[in-house]
Amino acid sequence: MRNVSEDSMTEGVPERLVRATIGLLAEQGPSAIKARTVASATGLSTMVVYSHFGGIPELVRAVVDQGFKELDRAFSRMPVTADPIADLFTMALTCRRVARENPHLYDLMFGLSTRATYRPMGDSDIRFSGRSPAFRDAYVHMVDACQRLVDSGRIEQQEPEVVAAQSWSFVHGYITLELAEHFADFNDAVRQVMLPMGVNFSVGLGDERERAQASHEVALRFDDSINPRPAHPR
């Protein structure tokens, strides 16, 4: 029988299913993402998953979108300061925090396979790729910060989009390796690996080393004040 509550709760059902899926990813990992498991977590019937999304692949795409919407909101809450390099490193630390909060969701968003097989499918659905509107809304914060950096004169003149792509690559390369526990032997991998790498990257772009170091230290102090860091990745 159809659950009576389903008729009276049509509004918000897709959002509830997406939230339930994100919760299952965090608690049990990708093996839990089945129609019956997601439905059970919301108190709805399995058919609701199919009626709203068509199937698990479509639900997964909605989860990816939600992940990037949350990253967009996290970036939107960050202060924009007169120091674009500090702002960029604060964004990097924000990405790291989001990834650590739900590593399986992070894998899903970025098509990684360190904990599952989340490679994008070879179809025309841009929602499951770096071209998705949800991704672009989050990524534009990075591009804007790189535009401010180029305009500041601290680095050599170059295309902000290219700087953003390079910065994005260094940030997510670090995050991927940290989540896979490649830095477990470091007492503080953020300070010993991530921060120096960010400084080296900035210097490579043309910034002065002392100034780049100071900017990264500012960002780290700010992030520590709102998100105290454990010494090791989980």
Side-chain angles (χ1 to χ4, degrees):
M1 274 181 77
R2 182 179 176 85
N3 190 320
V4 176
S5 66
E6 295 173 22
D7 293 318
S8 60
M9 299 180 68
T10 301
E11 287 297 324
V13 167
E15 292 79 7
R16 290 171 60 196
L17 293 170
V18 168
R19 290 290 180 187
T21 303
I22 291 174
L24 288 167
L25 280 170
E27 295 166 8
Q28 301 178 40
S31 61
I33 309 308
K34 302 178 178 68
R36 66 177 181 276
T37 312
V38 173
S40 176
T42 57
L44 303 173
S45 72
T46 303
M47 284 306 299
V48 172
V49 176
Y50 297 103
S51 63
H52 283 283
F53 292 102
I56 292 299
E58 291 79 10
L59 173 59
V60 163
R61 285 169 168 79
V63 168
V64 169
D65 279 352
Q66 185 60 37
F68 281 117
K69 288 175 183 176
E70 292 179 3
L71 184 59
D72 179 21
R73 281 195 286 272
F75 284 162
S76 297
R77 289 193 292 268
M78 288 174 40
V80 175
T81 74
D83 187 337
I85 286 185
D87 290 352
L88 280 167
F89 195 56
T90 301
M91 293 174 72
L93 293 166
T94 298
C95 285
R96 175 183 180 269
R97 173 175 50 80
V98 168
R100 287 169 59 85
E101 287 173 352
N102 193 336
H104 291 298
L105 176 59
Y106 175 82
D107 285 349
L108 185 60
M109 292 163 62
F110 287 91
L112 302 177
S113 56
T114 52
R115 276 163 293 280
T117 53
Y118 287 138
R119 296 294 173 185
M121 300 298 291
D123 57 29
S124 60
D125 193 335
I126 66 171
R127 292 176 299 166
F128 210 51
S129 75
R131 296 173 293 138
S132 73
F135 168 80
R136 299 303 301 181
D137 287 345
Y139 187 66
V140 73
H141 295 280
M142 174 75 67
V143 177
D144 287 348
C146 289
Q147 179 70 67
R148 295 196 303 274
L149 176 57
V150 172
D151 292 343
S152 73
R154 288 182 62 172
I155 65 171
E156 298 173 2
Q157 283 297 312
Q158 49 202 296
E159 291 297 325
E161 292 80 5
V162 174
V163 178
Q166 294 172 355
S167 180
W168 197 245
S169 298
F170 121 64
V171 169
H172 293 289
Y174 171 87
I175 291 171
T176 300
L177 291 173
E178 186 188 37
L179 290 178
E181 300 187 353
H182 284 272
F183 306 136
D185 290 337
F186 288 92
N187 293 325
D188 186 344
V190 169
R191 179 168 287 282
Q192 294 171 276
V193 180
M194 190 180 189
L195 187 149
M197 185 164 56
V199 172
N200 290 338
F201 176 71
S202 300
V203 172
L205 291 173
D207 198 22
E208 297 175 0
R209 180 167 294 276
E210 289 186 4
R211 195 173 184 185
Q213 180 75 32
S215 293
H216 282 74
E217 294 284 356
V218 166
L220 188 57
R221 286 195 297 272
F222 172 75
D223 188 73
D224 281 345
S225 71
I226 57 176
N227 302 298
R229 290 176 295 114
H232 295 284
R234 46 178 158 179

